CSV table of all heavy atoms in Angstrom, one decimal:
chain,number,residue,atom,x,y,z
A,11,PRO,N,28.4,0.5,-2.7
A,11,PRO,CA,27.6,1.6,-3.4
A,11,PRO,C,26.4,1.1,-4.2
A,11,PRO,O,25.4,1.8,-4.3
A,11,PRO,CB,28.6,2.3,-4.3
A,11,PRO,CG,29.8,2.1,-3.6
A,11,PRO,CD,29.8,0.7,-3.0
A,33,THR,N,23.4,11.0,8.1
A,33,THR,CA,24.5,12.0,8.0
A,33,THR,C,24.9,12.1,6.6
A,33,THR,O,24.9,11.1,5.8
A,33,THR,CB,25.7,11.7,8.8
A,33,THR,OG1,26.3,10.5,8.3
A,33,THR,CG2,25.4,11.6,10.2
A,34,TYR,N,25.0,13.4,6.1
A,34,TYR,CA,25.3,13.6,4.7
A,34,TYR,C,26.1,15.0,4.5
A,34,TYR,O,25.8,15.9,5.4
A,34,TYR,CB,24.1,13.6,3.8
A,34,TYR,CG,23.2,14.8,4.0
A,34,TYR,CD1,23.2,15.9,3.2
A,34,TYR,CD2,22.3,14.9,5.1
A,34,TYR,CE1,22.4,17.0,3.3
A,34,TYR,CE2,21.5,16.0,5.3
A,34,TYR,CZ,21.6,17.0,4.4
A,34,TYR,OH,20.7,18.1,4.6
A,35,ALA,N,27.0,15.0,3.7
A,35,ALA,CA,27.7,16.3,3.3
A,35,ALA,C,28.2,17.1,4.6
A,35,ALA,O,28.0,18.3,4.8
A,35,ALA,CB,26.8,17.2,2.5
A,107,ARG,N,18.8,-0.7,-6.6
A,107,ARG,CA,19.8,0.0,-6.0
A,107,ARG,C,19.1,1.2,-5.2
A,107,ARG,O,18.1,1.8,-5.7
A,107,ARG,CB,20.7,0.7,-7.0
A,107,ARG,CG,21.7,1.6,-6.5
A,107,ARG,CD,22.6,2.2,-7.6
A,107,ARG,NE,23.6,3.1,-7.1
A,107,ARG,CZ,24.6,3.5,-7.7
A,107,ARG,NH1,24.7,3.2,-9.0
A,107,ARG,NH2,25.6,4.3,-7.2
A,110,ILE,N,19.4,8.0,-2.4
A,110,ILE,CA,18.7,9.1,-1.5
A,110,ILE,C,19.0,10.4,-2.0
A,110,ILE,O,20.2,10.8,-2.2
A,110,ILE,CB,19.2,8.9,-0.1
A,110,ILE,CG1,18.9,7.5,0.4
A,110,ILE,CG2,18.6,10.0,0.8
A,110,ILE,CD1,19.3,7.2,1.9
A,112,ILE,N,18.4,14.3,-1.1
A,112,ILE,CA,18.1,15.0,0.1
A,112,ILE,C,18.6,16.5,-0.1
A,112,ILE,O,19.5,16.8,-0.8
A,112,ILE,CB,18.9,14.4,1.3
A,112,ILE,CG1,18.5,14.9,2.6
A,112,ILE,CG2,20.4,14.5,1.0
A,112,ILE,CD1,19.0,14.1,3.8
A,119,MET,N,19.0,19.9,-4.4
A,119,MET,CA,19.0,18.5,-3.9
A,119,MET,C,20.3,17.8,-4.3
A,119,MET,O,20.9,18.1,-5.4
A,119,MET,CB,17.8,17.8,-4.6
A,119,MET,CG,17.5,16.5,-4.1
A,119,MET,SD,15.9,15.9,-4.5
A,119,MET,CE,15.7,16.3,-6.2
A,120,GLN,N,20.8,16.9,-3.5
A,120,GLN,CA,22.0,16.2,-3.8
A,120,GLN,C,21.6,14.7,-3.7
A,120,GLN,O,20.7,14.3,-3.1
A,120,GLN,CB,23.0,16.5,-2.7
A,120,GLN,CG,23.5,18.0,-2.7
A,120,GLN,CD,24.5,18.2,-1.5
A,120,GLN,OE1,25.4,17.4,-1.2
A,120,GLN,NE2,24.3,19.2,-0.8
A,121,VAL,N,22.4,14.0,-4.5
A,121,VAL,CA,22.2,12.5,-4.6
A,121,VAL,C,23.2,11.7,-3.9
A,121,VAL,O,24.5,12.0,-4.0
A,121,VAL,CB,22.2,12.1,-6.1
A,121,VAL,CG1,22.0,10.6,-6.3
A,121,VAL,CG2,21.2,12.9,-6.9
A,122,PHE,N,22.8,10.8,-3.1
A,122,PHE,CA,23.8,10.1,-2.2
A,122,PHE,C,23.5,8.5,-2.3
A,122,PHE,O,22.4,8.1,-2.6
A,122,PHE,CB,23.5,10.4,-0.8
A,122,PHE,CG,23.8,11.8,-0.4
A,122,PHE,CD1,23.0,12.8,-0.5
A,122,PHE,CD2,25.2,12.1,-0.1
A,122,PHE,CE1,23.3,14.1,-0.3
A,122,PHE,CE2,25.5,13.4,0.2
A,122,PHE,CZ,24.6,14.5,0.1
A,123,ASP,N,24.5,7.8,-1.9
A,123,ASP,CA,24.5,6.3,-1.7
A,123,ASP,C,24.6,6.2,-0.1
A,123,ASP,O,25.1,7.1,0.5
A,123,ASP,CB,25.6,5.6,-2.4
A,123,ASP,CG,25.5,5.6,-3.9
A,123,ASP,OD1,24.4,5.2,-4.3
A,123,ASP,OD2,26.4,5.8,-4.6
A,124,ILE,N,24.3,5.0,0.3
A,124,ILE,CA,24.5,4.7,1.7
A,124,ILE,C,25.9,4.1,1.9
A,124,ILE,O,26.1,3.0,1.3
A,124,ILE,CB,23.4,3.7,2.3
A,124,ILE,CG1,22.1,4.4,2.1
A,124,ILE,CG2,23.7,3.4,3.7
A,124,ILE,CD1,20.9,3.5,2.4
A,125,ALA,N,26.7,4.7,2.6
A,125,ALA,CA,28.1,4.3,2.8
A,125,ALA,C,28.2,3.2,4.0
A,125,ALA,O,28.9,2.3,3.9
A,125,ALA,CB,29.0,5.4,3.1
A,137,GLN,N,24.9,6.5,7.1
A,137,GLN,CA,25.9,7.5,6.8
A,137,GLN,C,25.9,7.5,5.2
A,137,GLN,O,26.1,6.5,4.6
A,137,GLN,CB,27.3,7.1,7.3
A,137,GLN,CG,27.2,7.3,8.8
A,137,GLN,CD,28.7,7.3,9.4
A,137,GLN,OE1,29.6,7.4,8.7
A,137,GLN,NE2,28.7,7.4,10.7
A,138,LEU,N,25.7,8.7,4.7
A,138,LEU,CA,25.5,8.8,3.2
A,138,LEU,C,26.8,9.3,2.6
A,138,LEU,O,27.5,10.1,3.2
A,138,LEU,CB,24.4,9.7,2.9
A,138,LEU,CG,23.0,9.4,3.6
A,138,LEU,CD1,22.0,10.4,3.0
A,138,LEU,CD2,22.6,8.0,3.3
A,139,ALA,N,27.1,8.8,1.3
A,139,ALA,CA,28.2,9.2,0.6
A,139,ALA,C,27.8,9.8,-0.8
A,139,ALA,O,26.8,9.2,-1.4
A,139,ALA,CB,29.1,8.1,0.3
A,140,ILE,N,28.3,11.1,-1.1
A,140,ILE,CA,27.9,11.6,-2.4
A,140,ILE,C,28.1,10.7,-3.5
A,140,ILE,O,29.1,9.9,-3.5
A,140,ILE,CB,28.6,13.0,-2.6
A,140,ILE,CG1,28.0,13.8,-3.6
A,140,ILE,CG2,30.0,12.7,-2.9
A,140,ILE,CD1,26.8,14.7,-3.2
A,141,ARG,N,27.2,10.7,-4.5
A,141,ARG,CA,27.3,9.8,-5.6
A,141,ARG,C,28.0,10.6,-6.8
A,141,ARG,O,27.3,11.5,-7.3
A,141,ARG,CB,26.0,9.2,-6.1
A,141,ARG,CG,26.2,8.3,-7.3
A,141,ARG,CD,24.9,7.7,-7.8
A,141,ARG,NE,24.3,6.9,-6.9
A,141,ARG,CZ,23.1,6.4,-7.0
A,141,ARG,NH1,22.4,6.8,-8.0
A,141,ARG,NH2,22.5,5.7,-6.1
A,142,PRO,N,29.2,10.3,-7.1
A,142,PRO,CA,29.8,11.1,-8.2
A,142,PRO,C,29.4,10.5,-9.6
A,142,PRO,O,29.0,9.4,-9.7
A,142,PRO,CB,31.3,10.9,-8.0
A,142,PRO,CG,31.3,9.4,-7.3
A,142,PRO,CD,30.1,9.3,-6.5
A,143,ALA,N,29.6,11.4,-10.6
A,143,ALA,CA,29.3,10.9,-11.9
A,143,ALA,C,30.6,10.1,-12.3
A,143,ALA,O,31.7,10.4,-11.8
A,143,ALA,CB,29.2,12.1,-12.9
Side-chain angles (χ1 to χ4, degrees):
T33 61
Y34 70 100
R107 176 183 185 163
I110 298 180
I112 190 168
M119 191 164 43
Q120 297 178 43
V121 179
F122 295 91
D123 289 311
I124 299 170
Q137 293 197 4
L138 307 183
I140 194 88
R141 181 182 297 169

